[in-house]
Amino acid sequence: MRPRFLRSQAEARPRRHLFSVSTAVLLLLGRASSVAAQAVATIPITTANTALVLQTDASNRLNTVYFGAPLVNVADYAGTATQYAFNDTNAGFYPNTYTPAGTWNLSEPALAVTHADGNQSLELKYVRHETKPVDAHSSLTCILLRDPVYAFEVTLCYQVWPQENVIEQWTEIQHREKKAVTLNKFASANLYFTQKDFYLTTFQGQYLKEAQPAETKLLQGMRSVESKLGTRAMLLQTPNFILGLGQPAAENEGTVLVGQLAWSGNFKLEYEVDSYQNLRFLAGINPYQSAYALPAGQTFRTPSLLYAVSRHGTGEASRHLQSWARQYRVLDGQGQRLTLLNNWEATYFDFNEQKLTSLIQDTKALGVNMFLLDDGWFGNKYPRNNDDAGLGDWQENRQKLPHGLGYLVKEAQKEGVKFGIWIEPEMVNPKSELYEKHPDWVIRQPARPEIYYRNQLVLDLANPQVQDFVYGVVDGLFTKNPELAFIKWDCNAPIHNAYSSYLTKKGTPQNLYVDYVRGLYSVLQRLRAKYPKVPMMLCSGGGGRGDYELLKYFTEFWPSDDTEPVERIFMQWNYSYFFPAIVSDNHVTDWGKQPLKYRIDVASMGKLGFDIVFSKLSEQDKAFAQQAVRSYDGFKDVVWQGEQYRLANPYEQDIAAFAYVTADKSRAIVFNYLTDTRQKITATPRPVRLAGLDPQKSYRIKELNLYPGTTSTLPPDKEYSGDFLLNVGFNPNVTLTRTSVVLEVTAVAH
Ligand code: DGJ
């Protein structure tokens, strides 16, 4: 069959399907403003500290020709490619900015398709580009590439926040072929670095052992990091990365990219060192069992690859990313959060109104903002008394809660605290009325045995009826209980037996992994349209869902069910490479052997919560907890909104130290911990060098969160110059009897 030729954009008829903003921008571009097709186009995409430069070659293909410090003279970018000689017949294709499959390219492609006529070849030539401001803080560059033979085109999009040095890039794919085109691979980004010597830190884990870092030097060949779990996708591997260019990643030196593929389903990040020791980095949805059928006229927008760049190490890169996230990404990232008491570890499934009422009273007594009712409140035909029944039946269990949720909400109101609730609306137990009524809503292979994870299965969110159901669960809760102040949205099972009866009927069964995630986003968009502000926590029994796409709709996430505080220090250290403290939900529980003070101090480096029976604490512990909550209320804004500095790395020594510093450098909260109690440490041997302070200012240091009956061993009322604290440091005197030391550093007005 002869391919259909793409008409020029000027001739293009308006399409019925939605185009995203960036594509529309390109469609609107007149020929006058476009760059002539055969002239060399040089496209610098720049932030305060970085330039990513793209340029067309003699064949009008687009290459990445530079990634480095911005040049003073913009005209100089045009000449960067002339200084490299990688373009022999083997290496010429490596720098391509979005590498197609099936024609000249023999390396790992960014995009591989099967056209409507069955042909698998693709060529992408530069057509035009445009850069325009999005708002006062960011700009968007869109580059249109087109296949000269098929009616198929791709728009590469780069949104840039220069001040935060953050780049978000994605790709939009569309065609006007006669039938659907199959996207066999569809990367978000295809970066290229020529620095030589690349060090990749990945973060893998498992349940209770999330976010474990491993740094490796990338050697020639391919290293790929991926998930095929479907939901709860980043349980074993994460799409988070630290890339050290030219040297291993270090906290305060060297060029690094710190970033994430913002996608809540299967992902694949591929790092290929080519024959010239350059690095090709491809990131996108995992094409595993996902050859995606894209109808003509629709735009496939890939997820975003996000990264912050620093030439001064991971510390600065994290601060860039955290600051960007708070300002521009996380729902209510600069707002407030609710401290809470959660009943999960206090009761598990075994509760009734009386027990909960007593915990609501504890909430008040402890001094936190909200009581959070966890799993186990629903299901009647199949009561949720264990994790093997009831999931999906979101009606109050009449035995446990004879007066319904409304009664508990009122009890909370009486105590002057808010009320939040746990749901897991994407999942179903086979022992449930939902499963009985709608077996076709469940992801399962009809002719094969079911495979359970925590006795449950995943609902088919690719199906609009299921989307309506999930929306209805949340909407119903709010409609019946308008005072509900918080949702903990859990998600515990990955997808086994990936099969959607809905998509199979539609003729696109292989779209499931992608359409599931899109279905979820669509539910969240609807919910946020109606309930724009209600705080919601992403939970998945741990780090399976810390991602920047979901954080558009959620205010926070649950890093791990492992709340043992020493483990948590390591985990919170690792998560902080990517996320600001305000999104990290840290609960004080009974896990581990550390004293309550240690546990509360660790949980205070984020959003503080409790999962304990407060009334059963000793009187001293009670008094300490109440005082620590008050103290937290006094400094939480510094932790949530301040600049974070990782001061002492527990992977390198027996202590950990973190600082959070206000933007005006007038106040800092510094957390110090002994992390290895096997050593008979008698006192921290050397000072912790502080960071982020003003060398010109003077500061006073006060110890906070002292346990009742103890006094600080630190000199009272002494003043230090910022210069001293930055260069010499301060010894927090962490010892075996002072395993956790919180300091408030305040500028002194003279
Ligand atoms: C997993 C979560 O991580 C826990 O906090 C708790 O909510 C349980 N699920 C409830 O089933």
Side-chain angles (χ1 to χ4, degrees):
M1 192 199 289
R2 265 174 58 106
R4 272 183 58 189
F5 284 81
L6 189 67
R7 290 164 304 148
S8 72
Q9 292 301 328
E11 294 170 78
R13 264 186 285 133
R15 294 165 197 188
R16 274 184 300 123
H17 294 282
L18 272 185
F19 277 96
S20 67
V21 178
S22 51
T23 305
V25 165
L26 280 175
L27 290 174
L28 290 172
L29 276 178
R31 291 214 170 267
S33 64
S34 56
V35 178
Q38 288 306 317
V40 171
T42 303
I43 311 169
I45 294 158
T46 54
T47 71
N49 70 14
T50 302
L52 162 64
V53 183
L54 314 176
Q55 191 173 56
T56 54
D57 62 15
S59 320
N60 213 25
R61 294 182 189 126
L62 191 66
N63 296 322
T64 302
V65 293
Y66 181 73
F67 187 96
L71 302 182
V72 178
N73 184 356
V74 174
D76 283 350
Y77 290 127
T80 55
T82 59
Q83 300 305 310
Y84 294 90
F86 298 139
N87 53 349
D88 67 19
T89 46
N90 289 320
F93 45 76
Y94 293 143
N96 194 262
T97 305
Y98 198 69
T99 322
T103 49
W104 49 269
N105 164 47
L106 305 179
S107 65
E108 183 61 33
L111 183 60
V113 306
T114 305
H115 293 285
D117 65 2
N119 188 294
Q120 291 196 304
S121 68
L122 185 65
E123 166 72 292
L124 293 171
K125 299 265 183 148
Y126 168 84
V127 180
R128 59 180 165 265
H129 74 276
E130 186 194 47
T131 300
K132 58 168 201 140
V134 175
D135 51 35
H137 314 283
S138 70
S139 66
L140 178 66
T141 298
C142 296
I143 306 164
L144 181 64
L145 308 176
R146 184 181 293 155
D147 189 323
V149 174
Y150 280 87
F152 189 98
E153 58 191 35
V154 156
T155 306
L156 306 179
C157 307
Y158 302 80
Q159 189 169 355
V160 168
W161 287 262
Q163 202 184 321
E164 288 75 22
N165 294 290
V166 168
I167 300 179
E168 173 173 13
Q169 61 176 101
W170 68 92
T171 299
E172 294 176 3
I173 303 165
Q174 55 188 292
H175 70 88
R176 289 200 301 279
E177 300 190 19
K178 277 204 174 117
K179 287 189 295 185
V181 169
T182 306
L183 308 181
N184 301 309
K185 184 169 184 191
F186 33 93
S188 302
N190 179 173
L191 286 161
Y192 189 66
F193 305 98
T194 56
Q195 274 78 356
K196 191 171 166 331
D197 292 340
F198 303 96
Y199 295 83
L200 172 68
T201 309
T202 55
F203 293 80
Q204 43 267 310
Q206 60 192 64
Y207 178 54
L208 301 180
K209 219 167 179 261
E210 292 82 357
Q212 305 294 314
E215 185 175 57
T216 43
K217 181 171 180 183
L218 293 169
L219 301 175
Q220 252 171 272
M222 183 66 91
R223 163 112 163 79
S224 89
V225 177
E226 62 178 313
S227 170
K228 300 189 181 85
L229 302 184
T231 43
R232 205 185 177 177
M234 49 182 97
L235 175 65
L236 306 177
Q237 302 276 353
T238 76
N240 302 334
F241 61 89
I242 299 176
L243 201 51
L245 304 186
Q247 64 177 76
E251 191 66 12
N252 294 311
E253 59 177 36
T255 300
V256 288
L257 277 76
V258 173
Q260 178 189 65
L261 183 83
W263 177 245
S264 318
N266 293 344
F267 55 83
K268 187 164 194 168
L269 281 71
E270 296 169 296
Y271 304 85
E272 183 181 27
V273 176
D274 69 19
S275 48
Y276 280 91
Q277 317 281 329
N278 297 323
L279 175 65
R280 304 181 66 236
F281 174 27
L282 296 131
I285 293 175
N286 195 339
Y288 167 73
Q289 298 218 331
S290 293
Y292 195 89
L294 179 67
Q298 274 187 23
T299 298
F300 185 98
R301 179 179 165 149
T302 69
S304 294
L305 181 74
L306 286 160
Y307 46 96
V309 188
S310 166
R311 286 186 291 123
H312 305 286
T314 46
E316 187 185 77
S318 297
R319 284 186 291 282
H320 288 326
L321 201 52
Q322 292 176 5
S323 162
W324 168 85
R326 283 190 301 257
Q327 293 179 78
Y328 309 120
R329 192 61 161 218
V330 173
L331 185 75
D332 210 14
Q334 293 177 297
Q336 291 297 306
R337 296 291 184 272
L338 298 168
T339 53
L340 59 84
L341 179 78
N342 188 190
N343 72 308
W344 176 239
E345 296 193 13
T347 63
Y348 293 104
F349 295 99
D350 179 20
F351 56 79
N352 54 28
E353 272 176 1
Q354 199 199 337
K355 268 196 198 175
L356 295 181
T357 306
S358 146
L359 288 170
I360 289 173
Q361 286 160 0
D362 275 8
T363 308
K364 163 86 179 297
L366 176 57
V368 290
N369 306 132
M370 183 179 67
F371 173 72
L372 170 60
L373 173 59
D374 214 284
D375 196 353
W377 59 267
F378 49 87
N380 284 298
K381 181 171 176 191
Y382 301 102
R384 180 77 170 167
N385 292 328
N386 208 325
D387 63 15
D388 63 359
L391 206 52
D393 301 344
W394 299 103
Q395 298 78 36
E396 293 101 321
N397 176 279
R398 283 186 293 272
Q399 251 184 339
K400 288 185 196 173
L401 306 180
H403 302 98
L405 286 173
Y407 170 82
L408 294 172
V409 174
K410 294 236 157 49
E411 285 300 300
Q413 275 175 333
K414 264 198 243 160
E415 297 297 337
V417 296
K418 294 185 187 293
F419 187 88
I421 198 154
W422 177 98
I423 50 173
E424 193 177 3
E426 298 160 73
M427 306 279 158
V428 63
N429 282 130
K431 255 207 249 169
S432 68
E433 293 185 72
L434 181 67
Y435 182 95
E436 284 174 352
K437 273 192 219 135
H438 297 290
D440 55 322
W441 284 9
V442 179
I443 295 178
R444 55 196 272 273
Q445 287 286 353
R448 294 187 189 277
E450 289 177 349
I451 298 165
Y452 308 121
Y453 187 105
R454 210 188 182 215
N455 305 308
Q456 65 196 54
L457 293 163
V458 183
L459 291 174
D460 177 11
L461 267 168
N463 180 342
Q465 283 185 317
V466 178
Q467 293 169 21
D468 288 347
F469 168 78
V470 173
Y471 173 84
V473 170
V474 185
D475 188 40
L477 281 168
F478 283 130
T479 311
K480 271 178 75 185
N481 307 284
E483 305 84 358
L484 263 189
F486 185 84
I487 298 272
K488 175 176 177 183
W489 183 305
D490 213 340
C491 164
N492 287 294
I495 294 176
H496 291 105
N497 277 333
Y499 176 90
S500 157
S501 53
Y502 167 79
L503 288 177
T504 303
K505 274 189 209 124
K506 222 178 134 191
T508 54
Q510 73 286 6
N511 287 12
L512 175 59
Y513 282 122
V514 174
D515 284 356
Y516 179 93
V517 179
R518 290 181 165 176
L520 174 64
Y521 295 158
S522 140
V523 170
L524 292 165
Q525 276 151 17
R526 279 169 72 191
L527 284 172
R528 281 311 182 190
K530 189 159 176 195
Y531 308 102
K533 279 265 173 181
V534 184
M536 297 207 298
M537 170 211 266
L538 278 162
C539 182
S540 52
R545 275 195 162 171
D547 81 69
Y548 273 124
E549 197 56 33
L550 282 175
L551 282 168
K552 285 178 176 170
Y553 311 101
F554 287 79
T555 46
E556 52 217 86
F557 77 90
W558 180 239
S560 175
D561 270 3
D562 186 349
T563 47
E564 194 289 313
V566 179
E567 291 300 323
R568 268 294 178 128
I569 288 174
F570 286 86
M571 258 183 232
Q572 289 172 208
W573 180 277
N574 294 326
Y575 278 115
S576 80
Y577 284 112
F578 306 97
F579 299 104
I582 193 167
V583 305
S584 177
D585 281 335
N586 305 334
H587 291 188
V588 177
T589 68
D590 290 328
W591 284 52
K593 296 189 183 125
Q594 302 304 323
L596 185 68
K597 170 175 162 50
Y598 195 106
R599 287 180 273 146
I600 294 186
D601 289 350
V602 172
S604 297
M605 298 191 301
K607 197 202 85 168
L608 177 64
F610 291 80
D611 219 323
I612 52 172
V613 185
F614 175 71
S615 55
K616 288 198 181 142
L617 296 180
S618 71
E619 288 309 310
Q620 274 200 324
D621 270 359
K622 271 191 204 159
F624 174 72
Q626 287 165 325
Q627 173 217 308
V629 168
R630 280 196 298 276
S631 156
Y632 178 77
D633 281 338
F635 66 64
K636 65 189 180 192
D637 284 344
V638 183
V639 171
W640 293 348
Q641 300 299 335
E643 299 271 281
Q644 190 220 34
Y645 292 84
R646 291 179 290 263
L647 302 177
N649 184 343
Y651 288 97
E652 292 168 3
Q653 56 205 305
D654 299 339
I655 63 160
F658 305 71
Y660 300 85
V661 186
T662 56
D664 66 359
K665 301 177 187 298
S666 64
R667 194 171 172 220
I669 306 295
V670 185
F671 296 86
N672 309 271
Y673 307 98
L674 184 64
T675 49
D676 186 354
T677 46
R678 287 171 307 168
Q679 312 297 330
K680 293 279 167 260
I681 184 167
T682 48
T684 340
R686 52 178 71 83
V688 172
R689 276 175 62 195
L690 302 194
L693 303 178
D694 182 344
Q696 310 296 336
K697 285 190 161 87
S698 288
Y699 294 91
R700 247 193 209 116
I701 297 185
K702 181 179 164 204
E703 184 166 354
L704 302 180
N705 288 8
L706 285 165
Y707 194 77
T710 62
T711 45
S712 178
T713 56
L714 304 177
D717 276 338
K718 199 165 149 24
E719 251 179 69
Y720 303 85
S721 70
D723 180 39
F724 182 90
L725 295 173
L726 291 167
N727 292 301
V728 179
F730 181 82
N731 195 321
N733 192 24
V734 167
T735 69
L736 274 175
T737 52
R738 286 167 51 82
T739 50
S740 162
V741 176
V742 182
L743 305 173
E744 180 180 41
V745 182
T746 315
V748 185
H750 283 292

